[in-house]
Amino acid sequence: MVHVYNCHPFCSQQIVQVEQEPGMVCCGGGALFVVATGGCKVEAYSVEREGCPLICRFATMGTVKSIQHSKIGDYLVTIEEKNNATYLRAYTNWRYQAEEKARVGVRLLGHLLRGASVRGGVQMEIIEIPLSERPLAVACCSITGDLLVGCENTLVLFTLRRQNQQSLNQSQQILQSTWPNSQQSSSQSQGQSSSSNQNVSILDFERSVILHLPKIKPKRVALCGGYVAVQAELEVLVLKLDASSEPKTRGESSETNKADHLEDQADFLVLPRHQELLGDRAKDCDIPVSIEKTGLEDRGQYTLSYVLFRRFSPDFFQGCNVEETQLHSLQLYPLFTSNQSVSLEEPACVFCFFSLPTAGYLYSLKGGVELLSAYQYPEKVLEAVLTDHLLHVITKNALQCFTVRCAAVAARIEDPYIDTTMKACPPCSLEVCALRMQLFIGLRSVCVYGRHVILLSTADTETPEETERTTQRRGLSRKWTISSPKETSSAGHGWNLYVVDTVTPLTLYQEMIEYSQRYAETNPQAQSLRHLLSEAHLLLRASLLQTSGQQQNSEGDPAAPLQTDADKPAEKQTAVQTDRQELEEALGQNCAQLGDCFSRGSQNDCHLALPYYRMSGLSVTEVMARNRPHPSSPHSYGAGFLFYLKHYLLEETEQILSQEAADEVIDIFSQSEPSQLVSVCASPSMVNMSPARTLRILQHLEDTAGVSVPLTITMATMMLLLDDLPQYTQLMERHAEMLLVYGFIEESRLLLHGGGGGQHTHIRPTALTRQLAKSHPGLLVAAMVALHENNKVQLEQADHIFKELGCENCLQVDFWEAMLMASSQDAVIQELLFRLASVYIDRLTNSNSDAHANAPHTPSRRKPLKSADDLINSCSHYGGLYPWLTVLSPAHITSSQHLEALHKLQSLLCGPSLSVGSVGPLLERLSEETLWGFSLHLLCATRRGQYDRSIEKLLDRCPQAIIAYANHQLQDKNMALWWQKLLPELCNRTRAAADNSILLSALKETLVVVAMETSPTEFLELIPDDGTASYFLPHLLACSQRHLLA
């Protein structure tokens, strides 16, 4: 379906003053090239200046049958006929023919030495390009300047080469050394002038590859960045040529030897079937292609891949003959994105367009071959030209424009956020539309340069009766051939060459917006309104792509220095920047209008309101103002608007609504989606809402929908904001603590604001969180643990919350202890163990230094939520205190907090999880002078397996604890330490201090254990030989009796 809108894309037209009747035209490089009827003279006119003044004119060497201009290299290439022979020629430096008597150099392809540039003067050169077959069509690559020539059954690719003056001089010196006499005069003349022309770049071509296509006869060819397109009468084939460093084997040549052709088919009409093959399937077509590389330099091989094949069946209908059903207007069109350099990179998008008289087809080739648009023409089209913004087509009596989808493809390649909740763009499959047509008489051809559309019209000299008879006579032909172009009658009634200027994209956009107001007034939800706004959006996107590439285009255009003054590039760049700002402003307005359309749209596409409103730059207050319902439907809000508003409120944004706007949001959801009111009230953007008004709405919701925990917490928050603490307490006591925790899990923003962007995002507590820290600290800690375990908050974010609350010395430690009980992640557990050990050590260190302080910190005096015994009983990471630690307990403790911190730290060291190596450096801060400090160091040494050293230290500091220590620690594999270490130590110390009752008692206990665990022989060896054997005899007797009983 093609939409038709009454928008006029043309602003002015002028007639080019041409002396002779034009035979054909082409344009490029800011110039219009006119080949006079008869074909032996080319005139160049400036289309960028008022009146299209003549730039230059020059004669050709034969009758021009085809002419093309290349932007890269600024050269012309022609197919010419002379004396029944066909030639291919390239014309370089044609701008220097402004002086009609200027000299012209003629040379063969690859012969550069005798050119005028070598002798110091820049002049136009005609390059003869020899071919083994007659050329039928030519095309120039707009990216590289390469040349593609279509012959009878072959395609020949010529690579554009540039050589500077210095390399040419070196080449000439080589020849002079070979033929010094013949080159002497030339060398003298060159020496006088070459110094001023060292930077002159000479263009030449190198035949690089030949493609053989035995089953297709090219009528038109196209070339763009490695893509090669061939058009026959009813077939289009697109190939991709890639230079490869790997040699290609003979077996890879895409050549077949099918005997499909019957030699004698003169009496039969073979109708081809319709066929469309895209991508890899295109290789299944019946057109074989083989590669013949002919480059003089070895730059690697070429690989060939099929991209697209399309074959049409002939369409006969009344009044149409075979010739009128043939393809025309083949074009490969590149498009660059704003972050690309035109001169250095391959295009982001490449499009292929071709047309039948009744329909045109636009394909996207890169990133997957896809048919973007099919254009259905209202009448027979003679020729079409694709541009960034529009498709220009001509019929016999009219010029018409259609919209294109190139910008939609480029936008998705340029921006990865397209088609997300962040950004949007109309789809590539959007139906095209036709704009208002411009009437002419007898149009024959069209070409486009920038905003200039060049039209050639000639009056038809045949009478209608003659035309009808000719049509009927040709329609009887049964052969698939096309006749040669009809020459214009010498008795023609007239001709004209028009330059029609299109309006600027911004002007056309504004006209589209004015046109769309008609739909907006009658039916704001009309599909035509959305389609027209989408067309305007794509028009602006194409313009932004074009403005971003204008600077690169001007730099890459060799004609630019000849056309502009020294100060004009800066002015042009300033103008481009101004245009871009205006286009971006218009794009924002268009996004707002599209957002309005989708905000009231159906459920299928209402989600598009969100990205379009985001791209518009409107605030949420402005969006709300645009979506207020009409008085006739006071409770009707569009699904797209509600979708946008929910996403805005659910996201963590710094934009805080005023009280008026926040109350309006409450009203909107209370009318449209009451179930979302809790989430809306919890949004950080709604902190300015009226609590009394909101509370009434929430109470009404509770009466109608029933009681729920999140709703109760929200109502309690409103009471808190109203400073009604009794009602707040009553509401919070409705539900058990565990149910309240589940409520916070369901809506975490009741406790926390911020944090949507990850752990480094600023997060802050709510008023409810601050109140819970005062009145229900256990509930707050449990809720924070639940939020962490449900991935609602990060550990660092929770720490930040407690610091904001001023509870880093109390509730934060309680949170860590609770996390240690709940978490199952090993990395989190180790981090928490280290933090808790550090806190306990700090408390033990500071308790001594702060014991004499008059005003200790208030938070440190609060009783912890969990005591050491609670943690030992409920958390596996806290171990039971070793029995010998009770012996080492200090007789006098400065505070209960000191004793609690000591027991928790001892419990961690007695537990299985804490790594002694990680806390060892921290324990160095604690002195061993105190008994509790000594106990911690002894625990670490024991955990490290340093039993010998521990026994010695314990006997030195607290020998009364040695038996309890040995009974607990010296078991199993460490049992031998009783007689290997402990017994000798006690013997030695007792001998030195015979009156020490503690040591004697420990020695007796040790001997009892040794007697139980050793044999009599082993025990006998342990008795010292210092004359005290009688002391050990009772224990030896007990050992012997036990051994006999065993």
Side-chain angles (χ1 to χ4, degrees):
M1 177 180 177
V2 177
H3 297 256
V4 180
Y5 298 121
N6 194 23
C7 300
H8 204 298
F10 308 111
C11 61
S12 65
Q13 71 180 41
Q14 54 184 325
I15 298 177
V16 183
Q17 301 298 323
V18 184
E19 296 179 358
Q20 299 181 4
E21 179 180 358
M24 62 184 65
V25 295
C26 77
C27 56
L32 165 64
F33 303 96
V34 181
V35 180
T37 302
C40 292
K41 180 181 288 188
V42 177
E43 296 179 341
Y45 297 88
S46 174
V47 296
E48 296 181 329
R49 297 184 183 179
E50 187 67 26
C52 299
L54 180 70
I55 299 175
C56 65
R57 62 167 57 93
F58 54 89
T60 60
M61 300 181 68
T63 303
V64 178
K65 296 298 181 182
S66 176
I67 184 170
Q68 294 286 334
H69 175 269
S70 173
K71 179 181 70 173
I72 307 300
D74 193 31
Y75 67 87
L76 288 168
V77 59
T78 63
I79 296 177
E80 303 177 11
E81 284 188 1
K82 188 175 183 180
N83 299 330
N84 296 325
T86 306
Y87 302 91
L88 181 67
R89 296 186 174 100
Y91 293 79
T92 65
N93 297 333
W94 54 269
R95 296 181 187 270
Y96 291 98
Q97 287 300 301
E99 300 178 8
E100 295 189 23
K101 294 184 179 180
R103 299 176 60 182
V104 177
V106 182
R107 61 181 175 86
L108 280 175
L109 175 76
H111 293 258
L112 301 174
L113 300 179
R114 297 183 178 271
S117 298
V118 177
R119 297 192 296 270
V122 180
Q123 65 180 21
M124 186 177 82
E125 286 189 341
I126 303 176
I127 305 174
E128 292 275 359
I129 303 176
L131 294 168
S132 59
E133 299 183 40
R134 184 170 66 93
L136 302 176
V138 293
C140 303
C141 179
S142 59
I143 300 173
T144 62
D146 294 347
L147 177 63
L148 180 67
V149 183
C151 300
E152 189 73 24
N153 292 118
T154 59
L155 299 178
V156 185
L157 177 64
F158 293 89
T159 304
L160 180 66
R161 303 295 183 201
R162 296 176 184 268
Q163 297 202 25
N164 56 28
Q165 182 70 45
Q166 184 176 1
S167 63
L168 293 178
N169 292 341
Q170 293 175 355
S171 299
Q172 188 185 32
Q173 289 174 5
I174 295 174
L175 287 181
Q176 287 176 353
S177 62
T178 307
W179 300 289
N181 296 330
S182 60
Q183 298 294 333
Q184 184 175 1
S185 59
S186 175
S187 176
Q188 292 175 354
S189 62
Q190 178 188 353
Q192 297 172 358
S193 58
S194 61
S195 60
S196 62
N197 292 280
Q198 291 295 324
N199 295 326
V200 175
S201 179
I202 310 302
L203 299 182
D204 196 33
F205 298 92
E206 177 187 347
R207 184 185 285 105
S208 59
V209 67
I210 298 177
L211 302 180
H212 294 274
L213 298 87
K215 290 190 176 181
I216 189 170
K217 182 178 181 181
K219 298 296 181 182
R220 189 160 182 169
V221 295
L223 176 65
C224 179
Y227 288 90
V228 175
V230 189
Q231 172 190 297
E233 293 177 355
L234 291 171
E235 296 168 327
V236 172
L237 176 64
V238 181
L239 307 168
K240 182 70 167 67
L241 267 180
D242 291 303
S244 173
S245 58
E246 298 178 359
K248 185 177 178 182
T249 61
R250 300 285 296 179
E252 293 179 356
S253 177
S254 304
E255 189 171 5
T256 59
N257 296 317
K258 298 179 182 178
D260 295 335
H261 297 285
L262 298 176
E263 296 181 1
D264 188 7
Q265 291 184 345
D267 296 328
F268 296 94
L269 178 62
V270 180
L271 299 179
R273 62 184 176 88
H274 181 83
Q275 195 174 18
E276 182 186 37
L277 301 174
L278 307 180
D280 294 336
R281 295 180 58 224
K283 65 178 181 294
D284 297 331
C285 68
D286 56 355
I287 300 181
V289 182
S290 60
I291 301 177
E292 176 187 351
K293 185 177 181 298
T294 60
L296 298 178
E297 301 180 21
D298 187 11
R299 292 185 176 88
Q301 302 295 324
Y302 283 92
T303 58
L304 181 70
S305 58
Y306 287 78
V307 177
L308 166 66
F309 176 73
R310 186 77 186 261
R311 172 181 287 151
F312 296 90
S313 298
D315 187 12
F316 295 103
F317 54 91
Q318 186 175 2
C320 182
N321 58 34
V322 176
E323 297 175 7
E324 293 173 336
T325 63
Q326 295 178 355
L327 289 166
H328 60 75
S329 304
L330 175 67
Q331 188 176 354
L332 289 177
Y333 191 80
L335 197 60
F336 292 84
T337 56
S338 59
N339 52 7
Q340 284 187 298
S341 171
V342 177
S343 58
L344 298 179
E345 300 182 25
E346 64 177 12
C349 317
V350 177
F351 304 95
C352 178
F353 176 81
F354 49 85
S355 181
L356 288 167
T358 56
Y361 302 90
L362 177 62
Y363 286 86
S364 174
L365 301 183
K366 294 198 70 173
V369 185
E370 178 186 5
L371 175 63
L372 294 181
S373 305
Y375 297 87
Q376 300 298 324
Y377 305 135
E379 54 182 310
K380 189 182 73 172
V381 167
L382 303 179
E383 196 171 358
V385 180
L386 177 69
T387 66
D388 286 345
H389 304 87
L390 298 169
L391 173 68
H392 300 279
V393 302
I394 59 169
T395 64
K396 189 173 182 180
N397 296 312
L399 167 65
Q400 190 168 12
C401 295
F402 294 85
T403 55
V404 295
R405 300 290 167 259
C406 301
V409 177
R412 285 166 171 80
I413 293 177
E414 180 183 34
D415 194 342
Y417 291 101
I418 293 291
D419 299 327
T420 65
T421 58
M422 301 299 298
K423 295 181 181 180
C425 179
C428 303
S429 58
L430 185 70
E431 294 172 341
V432 297
C433 74
L435 306 180
R436 186 191 304 174
M437 66 176 59
Q438 185 82 7
L439 297 178
F440 291 90
I441 298 176
L443 291 180
R444 278 183 51 192
S445 67
V446 59
C447 59
V448 179
Y449 176 78
R451 289 176 45 215
H452 310 288
V453 182
I454 294 93
L455 302 171
L456 175 61
S457 68
T458 59
D460 196 349
T461 58
E462 293 182 347
T463 63
E465 293 78 10
E466 292 174 342
T467 304
E468 183 177 357
R469 285 195 300 269
T470 303
T471 301
Q472 293 175 353
R473 184 168 56 250
R474 291 178 180 174
L476 297 176
S477 173
R478 303 177 65 184
K479 294 185 178 180
W480 267 159
T481 58
I482 181 171
S483 62
S484 60
K486 181 183 66 177
E487 298 293 338
T488 304
S489 172
S490 58
H493 296 164
W495 45 265
N496 277 311
L497 190 59
Y498 301 96
V499 176
V500 181
D501 292 338
T502 59
V503 298
T504 63
L506 192 59
T507 304
L508 183 56
Y509 161 78
Q510 292 168 350
E511 186 175 356
M512 285 182 171
I513 296 304
E514 293 176 2
Y515 193 82
S516 67
Q517 296 303 318
R518 304 177 187 179
Y519 298 107
E521 294 171 358
T522 56
N523 186 5
Q525 299 183 18
Q527 186 70 23
S528 297
L529 173 61
R530 188 180 306 173
H531 184 274
L532 187 54
L533 291 176
S534 299
E535 289 288 3
H537 185 92
L538 292 177
L539 185 68
L540 293 175
R541 279 195 177 273
S543 303
L544 286 170
L545 288 174
Q546 190 180 50
T547 54
S548 63
Q550 280 182 356
Q551 184 63 32
Q552 292 97 326
N553 283 332
S554 63
E555 292 173 358
D557 189 356
L562 299 176
Q563 294 175 343
T564 59
D565 298 329
D567 57 343
K568 285 187 178 181
E571 297 177 359
K572 183 177 180 181
Q573 187 173 3
T574 303
V576 169
Q577 292 175 354
T578 304
D579 292 344
R580 185 171 184 84
Q581 292 176 356
E582 294 177 351
L583 290 170
E584 289 175 348
E585 292 176 1
L587 185 65
Q589 298 172 1
N590 174 263
C591 290
Q593 293 167 331
L594 280 170
D596 294 342
C597 285
F598 289 110
S599 68
R600 306 181 186 95
S602 62
Q603 291 288 344
N604 294 332
D605 49 16
C606 65
H607 63 280
L608 292 174
L610 175 62
Y612 279 118
Y613 275 141
R614 277 178 167 167
M615 294 165 64
S616 69
L618 295 176
S619 65
V620 65
T621 307
E622 293 170 326
V623 174
M624 289 165 55
R626 299 171 74 99
N627 284 273
R628 289 193 180 101
H630 299 290
S632 59
S633 55
H635 302 296
S636 176
Y637 291 95
F641 169 65
L642 293 176
F643 182 81
Y644 161 79
L645 204 54
K646 281 189 289 187
H647 269 263
Y648 171 82
L649 296 173
L650 288 173
E651 291 179 353
E652 306 299 341
T653 175
E654 297 299 326
Q655 185 177 356
I656 297 177
L657 299 179
S658 64
Q659 180 177 343
E660 181 181 0
D663 290 343
E664 184 179 356
V665 170
I666 295 294
D667 290 338
I668 291 172
F669 281 95
S670 65
Q671 297 169 12
S672 302
E673 293 189 35
S675 61
Q676 297 292 325
L677 276 174
V678 172
S679 297
V680 171
C681 293
S683 172
S685 303
M686 301 288 290
V687 293
N688 292 328
M689 61 186 169
S690 172
R693 188 172 181 274
T694 306
L695 182 60
R696 289 193 297 269
I697 296 174
L698 293 175
Q699 289 172 341
H700 176 71
L701 175 63
E702 187 180 55
D703 294 339
T704 56
V707 178
S708 71
V709 176
L711 179 58
T712 301
I713 298 174
T714 307
M715 294 170 63
T717 303
M718 297 300 112
M719 288 295 185
L720 185 63
L721 295 176
L722 291 171
D723 293 329
D724 192 345
L725 292 181
Q727 287 294 325
Y728 158 78
T729 304
Q730 181 180 353
L731 287 169
M732 292 297 290
E733 291 177 352
R734 272 191 187 181
H735 306 285
E737 182 176 296
M738 204 64 224
L739 292 178
L740 293 175
V741 170
Y742 289 143
F744 288 125
I745 294 174
E746 186 174 344
E747 186 48 73
S748 62
R749 293 181 303 168
L750 291 169
L751 287 179
L752 311 175
H753 281 171
Q759 69 178 43
H760 301 293
T761 306
H762 178 66
I763 191 170
R764 58 192 181 277
T766 63
L768 178 61
T769 308
R770 297 183 183 279
Q771 180 61 30
L772 289 177
K774 300 175 184 178
S775 59
H776 298 83
L779 173 60
L780 177 59
V781 170
M784 294 298 292
V785 172
L787 293 181
H788 180 275
E789 291 304 297
N790 286 273
N791 298 320
K792 301 280 187 175
V793 67
Q794 304 279 345
L795 185 61
E796 290 78 6
Q797 293 175 333
D799 292 342
H800 179 76
I801 287 294
F802 289 112
K803 289 179 181 178
E804 287 273 331
L805 296 172
C807 303
E808 59 267 24
N809 290 328
C810 50
L811 277 185
Q812 184 177 18
V813 180
D814 293 332
F815 169 70
W816 290 345
E817 291 173 348
M819 278 291 302
L820 200 57
M821 290 187 286
S823 180
S824 59
Q825 304 176 28
D826 186 64
V828 174
I829 291 173
Q830 292 301 321
E831 175 68 20
L832 291 171
L833 287 171
F834 180 79
R835 290 185 182 186
L836 288 170
S838 302
V839 169
Y840 299 151
I841 292 172
D842 286 339
R843 289 180 176 179
L844 291 172
T845 305
N846 296 331
S847 63
N848 289 336
S849 60
D850 294 344
H852 61 279
N854 295 327
H857 296 291
T858 302
S860 64
R861 291 175 177 245
R862 189 188 63 79
K863 184 180 179 180
L865 295 177
K866 295 286 186 181
S867 66
D869 292 336
D870 295 333
L871 293 174
I872 291 172
N873 294 329
S874 59
C875 182
S876 62
H877 304 291
Y878 286 86
L881 296 181
Y882 297 156
W884 52 271
L885 287 173
T886 59
V887 183
L888 295 177
S889 296
H892 175 70
I893 295 297
T894 57
S895 67
S896 60
Q897 290 185 353
H898 183 280
L899 183 61
E900 195 70 28
L902 176 62
H903 285 173
K904 288 181 178 180
L905 182 56
Q906 288 176 339
S907 178
L908 281 182
L909 290 172
C910 293
S913 304
L914 180 63
S915 172
V916 178
S918 63
V919 297
L922 299 177
L923 285 173
E924 293 178 359
R925 296 163 51 192
L926 298 177
S927 171
E928 294 188 26
E929 295 179 0
T930 61
L931 203 56
W932 58 266
F934 170 72
S935 70
L936 295 173
H937 285 280
L938 189 64
L939 268 174
C940 287
T942 303
R943 285 283 304 275
R944 293 191 180 102
Q946 300 172 355
Y947 296 104
D948 292 357
R949 183 183 174 190
S950 298
I951 291 172
E952 293 173 3
K953 282 190 173 184
L954 194 56
L955 289 173
D956 291 338
R957 289 293 304 273
C958 188
Q960 59 267 33
I962 188 62
I963 296 303
Y965 178 86
N967 283 331
H968 187 267
Q969 301 297 151
L970 305 184
Q971 298 295 325
D972 300 327
K973 64 179 181 180
N974 297 320
M975 180 63 73
L977 291 175
W978 281 88
W979 53 86
Q980 292 178 358
K981 180 62 180 179
L982 181 57
L983 181 61
E985 283 288 334
L986 287 173
C987 290
N988 294 333
R989 291 173 187 265
T990 304
R991 189 181 301 112
D995 57 345
N996 193 324
S997 60
I998 297 176
L999 292 176
L1000 287 173
S1001 176
L1003 179 60
K1004 290 179 181 180
E1005 293 288 339
T1006 303
L1007 287 172
V1008 170
V1009 174
V1010 172
M1012 291 291 294
E1013 297 296 332
T1014 60
S1015 65
T1017 305
E1018 293 171 339
F1019 190 88
L1020 187 62
E1021 293 178 354
L1022 295 173
I1023 298 176
D1025 54 357
D1026 56 353
T1028 59
S1030 58
Y1031 182 82
F1032 296 92
L1033 289 178
H1035 298 284
L1036 178 61
L1037 178 61
C1039 178
S1040 300
Q1041 291 174 346
R1042 181 192 61 79
H1043 185 71
L1044 291 174
L1045 293 175

